[in-house]
Structure formats: C-alpha cells, structure tokens
Amino acid sequence: RMKNEDILFIALGASAGAVAVLALAGLALFWCLRRQRLMGGRRAFYYDEAGVPLTAGEQQDEEEANGALLGAQFFLRSQPDMSLARPLRAIGSRRGKHHFLISCSVGPKQQLLTMANIPTGCTVNVKADSHRAAKLMRKFHEHPFIAAPLVCDYISSRDALITMVPWFTRGSLRDFIHQDNPANPFSKKYSSQYTLKHSLVEKFGRQILEALLYLRIQNFPYYHLHAGNVLLDDGVCKLTDIENGLLLLEPHHMKIMRHYYPQVDPDVVCFAAVVYEMVTGCELESADAFAYDLGVRKWHPKIKSVLESILQSTASAAPSIGDLIKMDLFSDVALPEACPRRRENFTQKEENVVATANNAMLDYIRTGMAQPRPGIT
C-alpha cells in the first residue's frame, strides 16, 4: 500500500505537469493572437523578427502583401503548368505592386508574376478588356529590346492586373549598375554607387532608344522608363512594365518630366535620367542636380553632349528619339539583330485604347493629376 506521502508527491507532480502544459498552451495562444490576420472585424498586428510591432504603414503593407499572395495562389490554381516558387517581397519601389517568382513547365522555366492594383484613373476597362490588352501587347513580343507580358489577366477578387515576363537572373539595369541581387527588397538595395564603361553606355543606350522608337511608332504610351524598368538578358536591354501606361500609373520620373514638359518629350527626359544613372551611379533627381554635376564631374564629351541636348535644351532644339539615335554616341552601335520599325496592325478598338491611354498619360504629366475616365468599350 502507498503511503500518504507518496500519494501527495504524485498529486503535486501531476499538478505541476498540468500547470506546465497550460502555460505552454497559453504561450502558443498568445503567439497566434499576435500573428492573426484581420478576422471578425478585429485588426491583425504584425511584429518584426525582434518582436517589435510594425508601424501602421508597415502593418498595412503586410496585410496587402498577404492578400496579394492569396490572389496569386488563386490565379495559379487555374494554371496547371505553373507553380509558386516564392514571393519576392518589395523588390520594387512602387506600392500596390507585388512580385512572385513562378516555376513553369512550359515556356521560360522561371517567370516573374507581377500583380498591380488598378488605380481609379485607369483608362482601360481592365475587367472587360484585359484580353484586348494582352492581345495588343503580344504584337510586341518579337522586338528584341522589349519584354512584353507573356500573360495578362484580371483578378476580380483583388481588382488587379496580373502580368508575367521571363525572370532574368541578372535583374534590371539598376541592379546591374549597383551590383545588387534583384531578388532583394528595394529598401536594402542601391546603397553602393558604381558606374558603367563608356562602351556599355553606348550599347545599352542604343538598345533602349530602339525600343522607345518602336513604341512611339505605335503611338503606345510608355513614359515609365527608368533603370529599374530595363531588364538585362545576357547583355541585352529589354523594356518592361509597358502596361503601366495603359493602367495610368504614376511615372517614376514624374517630377522631372513635368519640369520639362511640354518642351521636351517625356520619354526623352526619362532616357536622359537612365544615361545619367549609368554614368554617375545615382538617380537624376532634378535638372539642378545635372547643372551642378556639369561643374564637378569629368564627363565623356559624347555623353555630355547628349545630356546637355536634353536637359539644357530650348523647346526648338529639344531632340526627338530619332534625333538621339543619330547622335555620335549611339549612331555606330552594332545591333545584335534587325530592329523592327514598322507600324503594327491594330483593330479600331485597339487603336482607341492606345490613343485614349496616350492622351490620358500626357494629361497626367501636364497636370500632375490622373483624371478618372470611363473604360473603353
């Protein structure tokens, strides 16, 4: 028979074990409550790796990113040849755009899926016309210096446009200039400053100009050129995010474009900003920055001539895209293959979409405000 002391010892041990289990359960519940999303009208709270609560803006970004992930997973359920490799969190500077690395069994093995929220000023009725936009941009696939979307689809649950382009491991021209990993978050990139050789400035500049000229022949609205929107594929530049003009998204270089508009073509101003970044390793923030650099930097004469012709021009002397191609810096560059300069055949509805979007983008640049417009039917 067990003594009373033994019975008491066993009871105390069982009680201690129960308390320990309850404590662990309480800790687990506490952790889950800290990490829960928006449920039952209560707001979720997120913490960083050190356990510090995120700011209100960071909380919103976290919720937005989680919602975009669900939207991407929902889209991929209908794509049997594709699977999610991993989210690429905040690799770009634009809020409302989310990126995912996709593994594909058909076509390029790795592709970049981008989900962009539709702004209120969008000129295209994306819900009804995403197929039309996709068909329109497919006409640009054969151009060697344009990365036109392979996929273009509307996600009603997110009110967002999904596009997909091949994933290039070298990343963007900006990644190349600053020697950064394209998959890293934007906030952790571009702190180091490097410059490109004169031969690369010539080569990349001519390739970008050919792509701009082709889009201009189509009357297609771009106005979103910057070093982050130029992908590098084995030493070849390819313009990307060409759908931004259709969506009426705010251009990266809006401030400096507005400074020169209408005296200088907005695409030409953006091109000058890209050349400036290739040469200095810094983004062009303003016309004053270039004027200051003229006196403190040593410039290659041909590069200096190009930048001065754009950033210090008068309305009557401002160069066009075609004029820039003929300048000494770019005219003798050998292209890897023939570049089409033909006018593509658009249907009347496609012409209407392009013309309306182009006019809306120019109004946006002129006024600094996106004007809500009805969709094109």
Side-chain angles (χ1 to χ4, degrees):
R1 294 180 60 180
M2 298 180 64
K3 297 180 179 180
N4 290 339
E5 298 83 23
D6 294 334
I7 295 173
L8 178 60
F9 180 79
I10 292 173
L12 289 172
S15 299
V19 170
V21 170
L22 289 172
L24 289 174
L27 286 172
L29 178 61
F30 174 72
W31 180 252
C32 291
L33 289 174
R34 289 176 73 193
R35 303 293 298 179
Q36 72 177 355
R37 295 188 179 91
L38 188 64
M39 296 180 61
R42 292 174 296 174
R43 189 172 184 76
F45 289 93
Y46 296 91
Y47 297 76
D48 64 16
E49 294 177 356
V52 178
L54 301 182
T55 65
E58 291 170 337
Q59 296 271 356
Q60 183 178 353
D61 290 344
E62 189 74 16
E63 293 171 1
E64 175 74 16
N66 288 333
L69 175 60
L70 291 175
Q73 292 171 331
F74 178 80
F75 169 76
L76 292 171
R77 286 170 57 185
S78 63
Q79 309 295 323
D81 301 324
M82 303 178 185
S83 61
L84 177 66
R86 62 188 174 107
L88 298 173
R89 294 293 297 271
I91 62 171
S93 61
R94 186 184 296 277
R95 298 187 69 176
K97 262 199 175 186
H98 305 276
H99 304 85
F100 305 89
L101 187 62
I102 306 299
S103 298
C104 305
S105 58
V106 176
K109 297 300 182 183
Q110 288 190 311
Q111 298 185 32
L112 178 66
L113 184 153
T114 299
M115 183 183 299
N117 295 339
I118 306 299
T120 55
C122 181
T123 57
V124 178
N125 185 344
V126 182
K127 183 176 182 179
D129 292 337
S130 60
H131 64 287
R132 187 177 298 158
K135 181 181 176 183
L136 191 157
M137 290 185 289
R138 273 199 296 269
K139 299 178 187 291
F140 308 153
H141 280 171
E142 295 182 4
H143 199 284
F145 306 131
I146 295 177
L150 303 172
V151 173
C152 182
D153 205 350
Y154 175 71
I155 303 298
S156 58
S157 62
R158 296 281 307 167
D159 191 28
L161 185 72
I162 276 184
T163 57
M164 294 180 66
V165 298
W167 170 254
F168 301 121
T169 55
R170 179 60 272 181
S172 70
L173 178 57
R174 180 165 292 143
D175 294 320
F176 181 72
I177 293 171
H178 298 275
Q179 297 297 295
D180 274 310
N181 184 339
N184 285 342
F186 180 85
S187 61
K188 297 182 179 180
K189 295 190 287 188
Y190 314 136
S191 58
S192 301
Q193 295 181 1
Y194 299 93
T195 60
L196 301 190
K197 296 187 298 184
H198 176 255
S199 58
L200 287 179
V201 176
E202 288 181 329
K203 174 184 174 182
F204 292 162
R206 176 62 185 273
Q207 292 173 354
I208 293 169
L209 285 171
E210 288 290 341
L212 289 176
L213 181 61
Y214 175 79
L215 293 176
R216 181 54 52 83
I217 291 172
Q218 317 310 321
N219 193 35
F220 192 86
Y222 190 46
Y223 312 121
H224 284 79
L225 173 63
H226 62 87
N229 273 355
V230 180
L231 301 178
L232 277 182
D233 178 23
D234 195 23
V236 175
C237 287
K238 294 178 178 287
L239 266 59
T240 189
D241 281 7
I242 62 173
E243 68 278 0
N244 283 3
L246 297 177
L247 297 178
L248 204 65
L249 298 179
E250 181 177 350
H252 182 79
H253 287 302
M254 172 67 93
K255 179 181 177 181
I256 194 168
M257 283 195 297
R258 294 198 65 214
H259 175 83
Y260 286 99
Y261 189 78
Q263 287 79 15
V264 186
D265 182 335
D267 278 334
V268 169
V269 174
C270 292
F271 176 75
V274 172
V275 172
Y276 178 90
E277 189 168 347
M278 286 193 284
V279 173
T280 66
C282 305
E283 282 202 66
L284 180 62
E285 300 292 343
S286 67
D288 292 337
F290 173 68
Y292 172 79
D293 281 346
L294 277 177
V296 299
R297 292 183 184 272
K298 185 177 180 180
W299 297 87
H300 187 286
K302 291 183 179 179
I303 294 175
K304 181 180 179 182
S305 176
V306 168
L307 292 177
E308 284 183 324
S309 72
I310 300 169
L311 301 176
Q312 293 192 330
S313 65
T314 62
S316 60
S320 66
I321 297 170
D323 293 333
L324 290 171
I325 289 176
K326 297 174 184 177
M327 295 186 73
D328 291 343
L329 184 60
F330 308 114
S331 60
D332 295 330
V333 175
L335 300 176
E337 53 186 291
C339 296
R341 294 183 180 178
R342 63 180 180 272
R343 180 79 161 89
E344 302 292 351
N345 294 320
F346 294 133
T347 65
Q348 187 58 54
K349 288 187 176 181
E350 289 171 343
E351 291 276 8
N352 293 343
V353 168
V354 170
T356 302
N358 195 39
N359 291 334
M361 279 302 306
L362 291 176
D363 284 346
Y364 193 0
I365 295 168
R366 178 178 57 83
T367 64
M369 296 183 293
Q371 302 298 325
R373 292 166 180 263
I376 307 301
T377 57

